[in-house]
Structures are given as structure tokens and as C-alpha cells.
Amino acid sequence: MMKYAFGKSQAVLTVWVLMKISLILLVFPVFHYWAHNRWHFTYKRIVDYIFLTLYIIYLVGLMSFPVSVIIKDEIPPASAVIIMCEQVRLVMKTHAFVRENVPRAKNYKPHQDGEKEDNTPCPDFGKFLYFLFVPTLVYRDNYPRTPCIRWRFVAMNFLQVLACLFYVYYIFERFCVPAFQRFGHERVTPREFLLAVFGCMMPGTLLLFISFFAVLHLWMNAFAEMMRFGDRMFYKDWWNSTSFANYYRTWNVVVHDWLYTYVYKDMHQVMGIKSMAPMFTVFLLSAVIHEYIVTFSFKFFYPVLFVQFGGFGVIFVFLTNKRKAQSWNIFMWLALFVGTGLLMCLYSMEWYARRNCPPVLDSFFDYMIPRSWMCSAFTLK
């Protein structure tokens, strides 16, 4: 399973290198040229729109190329997750760099006496390159730095990441494969379906814990240590949350800071949009991106995560907002147990249905319509 899931690693490395090179050879040089030379043009607004168009074209290409490689080369799921997550991360970093420095370039006034380091229309290349690797999504010219690198700490974190991967392998081999590998060959009754959901709650929650620990704690701390990055606030005590609003703010501080800085604040302050529209936009964008990663990693569209995140997640935010009693913390954990159980159960059923059941629709819609619904063995009666 491990060999299959992480297969075609050469293609993964190639896509990653090409995405990085595109940022280094395209994004920074073009932005640097625009920032330093826009004042030389007579029609600055036209030039700005030209470079904005080039920026949008680049983002479309950055979003399209990895997806095309995943589909064309049939990249297995774990390798596809790596490509998709790295693609989304680089898109967010690109937007953060451009969004932070566009006002700086537009407000820049050339001086005859020379330029100071903090009075330039564009940061130097070293700051841009550092930002590409540092574990944050909000661009700043300078970050707090630690005095040295503890290589033993880095090695131990990467060893624990490897151990987490093998633990994930054990969970799938012990709980997922035996329960669902026969799906499509045997009929599923409502009782068996309900038992499968409850049976997936514990392994699904374990996967939630392991993903959090491996990515947000081990992986990010390892890279922060290697980059001497001093701000290690990657998460807060989300496990003590009594409301889903606080859970979403503290689960992944890195992504939350990007959404708050470049989506919520821009809509609220720059665009002047008030009321609840910025908050709904943040939830919708986050739900779409999560489903986007899952869809192209598994190569089928089954929007269970989107419905949970963008549907029930929003409802629970309003339901538990400003709740302080510890009993609401129990409610949050129960909702997480049920949600992860449903995710693991339904996605596992769809995965094996696409291996055990013949396609019903010989067209693009076969990827859009869940095959587990149309498989003859899946009859809830």
C-alpha cells in the first residue's frame, strides 16, 4: 500500500521543481520589472492592467499544470495529495507576496538621492526566496529569527513524520481495507452502513490527530528550525474550544492568518463589504479548496467534505458562537467524531466502488456522479 500510494515520486519531484522554478524565474522578475519601471510609463493604469492580466494567466497555469499531470500520468493518491497541497501553498504564497507589495510599488516615489533598503518598490530576491520556504503564508520583509539551527531537533521531527506515515498505513490496513474492499461485490444494508460509519469514527479521528501532529507540529517545526524562523505559532489549543468559530481559528493558524489577511480584511476594509459576506466568503473559499484537493487526489467528485465544511460547519459556527460552557466542548468533539467517521466511510465506499464496479456512464459525468450510488451491490433495503 505504501509503495502504491507514494508511487511515481519522480513525477512528483519534477512537478514540484517546475512550480518552484516558475515562481523564481517568472513571478519575481516580472513583478520586479513592473515595480521598478511603472513610473516610466505614460499610461500607468494600462500597464497595471496588463501586468494584472499576466498575473491571472500565471495563476491559472499554476493551477492547471499540476492537475493535468495528475490526471494524465495517473498519479496515486498520496503523491497526488503532495502535489495538490504544494500547488495550493505556492498559489497562496504568490498572492501574499504580490498583494503585500503592490501598494508598496504604487505608493513608491523615486528619489534622486538614492534609495534606502526600506524605501524600494520591490523587496530583494533573497527575501522572496526565504518566503518561499519559510512556514508562513503571510509575507513580511523580515521575520523573527532564532540564533542557530538544532539539527538533532530537525532529524527527530522528520523521523516522527516517518513514524506517523507508518501509523497511517496501519490504520488503513487494519480498519479501512478489511471493511470496504468487498464493497461492490456484496449488498449493503442500512444496518451495515450505520455500523460502518460508527466503525470509522475511531480510525477517522486518529487520522485527524496524526495529520495535525505530523503536518502542523512536526513538519512545520522542522522547516522553521532549518530556516531559523522564530514564529512557531502554527496552531493553538483547538482541543479546548467550546465553539466551532474558535476551533476554525485555532486549528490551523497559518491558513487562518492568510484567509483573514487577504480575504476577510480585503473584503471588509478595501472593498468596503460589511455584514456577513466576508465570513461566508472565507468559509466558501476554504471549503472549495479542500474539496478541490480531495477531488483531484482521488480522481472523483464526491463533495462530502464540502458539505460538511461549507454546510454543517457554517451552521455549527452560528449554533455554538459565544458559547463558554464546557459542555459545548463535548458537542464539538462529538461532531468531529461523527464527521470524520462519515468522511472515512463514504470516501472509502466510493474508492472501492470505482475499483469493483463497472462505470455506468461512459463520459465525463462518470467522474462527477458517485459510482457508489449507482453500483448494483449498494442497495439500502
Side-chain angles (χ1 to χ4, degrees):
M1 179 187 291
M2 292 282 283
K3 184 178 180 180
Y4 162 73
F6 289 94
K8 300 190 177 181
S9 56
Q10 184 177 359
V12 176
L13 182 61
T14 301
V15 172
W16 179 81
V17 170
L18 290 175
M19 288 192 295
K20 283 285 189 181
I21 290 177
S22 70
L23 266 74
I24 295 173
L25 298 183
L26 292 178
V27 173
F28 183 81
V30 172
F31 186 86
H32 186 273
Y33 176 82
W34 170 79
H36 280 86
N37 295 279
R38 66 181 302 271
W39 288 101
H40 300 160
F41 295 99
T42 304
Y43 301 101
K44 298 181 180 64
R45 186 176 294 274
I46 296 177
V47 173
D48 292 344
Y49 280 120
I50 291 174
F51 279 89
L52 174 61
T53 304
L54 293 175
Y55 172 65
I56 295 174
I57 292 174
Y58 172 78
L59 289 182
V60 172
L62 186 59
M63 297 286 286
S64 303
F65 170 67
V67 170
S68 64
V69 173
I70 289 174
I71 296 174
K72 181 180 178 181
D73 295 350
E74 297 184 352
I75 304 296
S79 296
V81 168
I82 294 173
I83 293 177
M84 295 301 298
C85 289
E86 185 65 7
Q87 177 207 63
V88 172
R89 187 183 75 92
L90 292 179
V91 168
M92 295 170 76
K93 279 186 175 286
T94 301
H95 182 72
F97 176 80
V98 173
R99 174 63 184 86
E100 289 288 347
N101 290 289
V102 162
R104 173 177 176 173
K106 297 183 71 172
N107 296 329
Y108 170 73
K109 304 294 183 182
H111 299 283
Q112 295 180 354
D113 298 333
E115 299 176 349
K116 297 181 180 179
E117 183 180 357
D118 58 349
N119 189 32
T120 58
C122 179
D124 58 61
F125 177 72
K127 293 177 180 178
F128 173 75
L129 186 63
Y130 182 78
F131 175 62
L132 291 185
F133 290 92
V134 77
T136 182
L137 296 174
V138 178
Y139 177 82
R140 296 290 182 266
D141 282 346
N142 297 290
Y143 299 96
R145 305 288 291 272
T146 56
C148 61
I149 301 176
R150 298 171 294 172
W151 289 107
R152 183 177 180 180
F153 175 80
V154 174
M156 288 301 299
N157 277 11
F158 282 134
L159 285 175
Q160 290 180 76
V161 170
L162 185 62
C164 288
L165 290 177
F166 279 98
Y167 192 37
V168 170
Y169 161 76
Y170 166 76
I171 291 175
F172 275 101
E173 283 285 8
R174 173 62 180 85
F175 297 101
C176 183
V177 175
F180 299 104
Q181 64 180 346
R182 295 292 301 168
F183 183 82
H185 298 305
E186 300 173 352
R187 295 187 180 277
V188 179
T189 64
R191 177 179 178 275
E192 292 170 341
F193 175 75
L194 188 62
L195 289 175
V197 172
F198 277 92
C200 286
M201 288 183 184
M202 188 270 287
T205 306
L206 286 176
L207 288 176
L208 182 74
F209 289 157
I210 295 168
S211 302
F212 158 76
F213 181 65
V215 177
L216 293 174
H217 183 77
L218 298 174
W219 189 264
M220 289 193 174
N221 270 292
F223 269 87
E225 189 68 27
M226 289 190 295
M227 303 300 296
R228 293 175 50 208
F229 183 69
D231 185 4
R232 308 292 174 90
M233 185 65 73
F234 305 128
Y235 57 89
K236 297 179 182 178
D237 58 336
W238 57 268
W239 48 87
N240 292 325
S241 299
T242 56
S243 68
F244 270 81
N246 186 67
Y247 165 74
Y248 289 132
R249 285 192 296 265
T250 55
W251 160 262
N252 189 337
V253 174
V254 179
V255 174
H256 170 267
D257 286 348
W258 188 91
L259 290 170
Y260 177 76
T261 304
Y262 301 118
V263 179
Y264 184 87
K265 284 180 65 176
D266 277 358
M267 292 187 64
H268 187 71
Q269 297 177 0
V270 179
M271 301 173 64
I273 300 177
K274 308 296 183 181
S275 69
M276 306 297 292
M279 188 193 73
F280 280 115
T281 303
V282 168
F283 272 99
L284 178 63
L285 179 62
S286 185
V288 168
I289 294 300
H290 279 80
E291 191 60 43
Y292 167 75
I293 294 174
V294 172
T295 297
F296 287 104
S297 297
F298 293 162
K299 302 176 185 62
F300 58 78
F301 179 69
Y302 198 11
V304 181
L305 182 59
F306 178 84
V307 172
Q308 287 193 4
F309 202 125
F312 291 102
V314 176
I315 295 174
F316 288 158
V317 164
F318 288 100
L319 180 64
T320 62
N321 192 28
K322 298 181 181 180
R323 303 290 184 177
K324 301 297 183 181
Q326 289 301 313
S327 57
W328 288 98
N329 179 253
I330 299 175
F331 173 79
M332 184 202 76
W333 278 107
L334 288 175
L336 288 179
F337 289 149
V338 175
T340 53
L342 280 171
L343 283 175
M344 187 171 184
C345 179
L346 292 176
Y347 279 122
S348 297
M349 286 183 172
E350 181 64 22
W351 176 268
Y352 281 103
R354 291 184 173 269
R355 275 140 189 81
N356 299 332
C357 302
V360 180
L361 301 173
D362 188 16
S363 65
F364 171 75
F365 292 101
D366 180 58
Y367 295 96
M368 305 297 293
I369 299 177
R371 196 177 297 179
S372 57
W373 293 4
M374 310 179 74
C375 185
S376 60
F378 189 51
T379 54
L380 294 177
K381 63 180 182 179

